Amino acid sequence: MMKKLMIILPLIFIAGCIGGDGTTTSSGQGLEILSFTPTPSEVPSGSSMRLSLEVENQGDTTLGKDKAVVFLIGENLNLADQSGISWSNPEETLYKTFSRDLRPADPNRNVEAEKAAFSWRLKSPTIERGQRLTNSFRARIYYEYETVIRGTVWV
């Protein structure tokens, strides 16, 4: 009985590892930032600028709108600032959410990957005449990702 059990257990383990009934795989690149640009690129003291971000779903599964968030990170960035020393706009938020699901490309139907655009309008800091100030901004995207494997074990 013990010898039969020792032979059956490895077979069950191998069958579970290579069995693939209903298994799907994902190998895409996920979300990719296509562009992140300021308009205008040089901003006078106390003037407005718009940061624009465009992303594309280069993965192979649909990204649900409630599964991702975009964050703006920057030097000298304080949206609530009213003193004029920071990039600001009390009507903005540092994060943005997707307004719709983003579907991946479907080459079989000749459908391109879906894109989403985001923007932030900011007021530049007030600086003295003749001075220059250089600040950097970054956009980060956080989204839910998971890997699931399903298989059938035959005994």
Side-chain angles (χ1 to χ4, degrees):
M1 173 68 174
M2 190 63 149
K3 286 185 181 181
K4 288 181 183 178
L5 186 58
M6 291 179 78
I7 292 171
I8 292 173
L9 284 178
L11 290 175
I12 292 173
F13 178 74
I14 291 170
C17 290
I18 62 172
D21 197 18
T23 301
T24 59
T25 59
S26 176
S27 61
Q29 299 295 317
L31 286 178
E32 183 171 320
I33 295 176
L34 299 176
S35 66
F36 184 48
T37 56
T39 306
S41 59
E42 291 192 17
V43 185
S45 174
S47 297
S48 291
M49 170 191 66
R50 189 178 81 208
L51 291 172
S52 301
L53 174 73
E54 184 178 32
V55 299
E56 181 178 61
N57 184 355
Q58 294 188 356
D60 54 10
T61 59
T62 298
L63 173 72
K65 68 179 182 179
D66 57 340
K67 303 291 184 192
V69 64
V70 179
F71 279 96
L72 176 65
I73 303 165
E75 298 172 355
N76 197 24
L77 178 61
N78 179 356
L79 295 181
D81 178 49
Q82 295 184 358
S83 68
I85 62 172
S86 300
W87 290 90
S88 62
N89 184 345
E91 296 175 10
E92 280 286 0
T93 60
L94 292 177
Y95 69 92
K96 306 278 183 175
T97 57
F98 286 74
S99 60
R100 61 183 169 76
D101 294 349
L102 286 187
R103 289 182 175 71
D106 185 348
N108 296 328
R109 297 184 330 174
N110 201 25
V111 175
E112 292 185 5
E114 292 187 340
K115 300 175 184 176
F118 303 91
S119 67
W120 292 266
R121 183 162 296 281
L122 302 173
K123 182 179 176 187
S124 68
T126 304
I127 59 174
E128 297 292 322
R129 185 179 180 103
Q131 291 183 329
R132 290 185 72 89
L133 178 65
T134 302
N135 292 121
S136 297
F137 296 93
R138 293 185 308 258
R140 290 205 174 160
I141 304 171
Y142 297 95
Y143 59 99
E144 190 174 305
Y145 173 82
E146 66 181 27
T147 300
V148 177
I149 297 175
R150 293 185 180 93
T152 304
V153 177
W154 297 93
V155 183

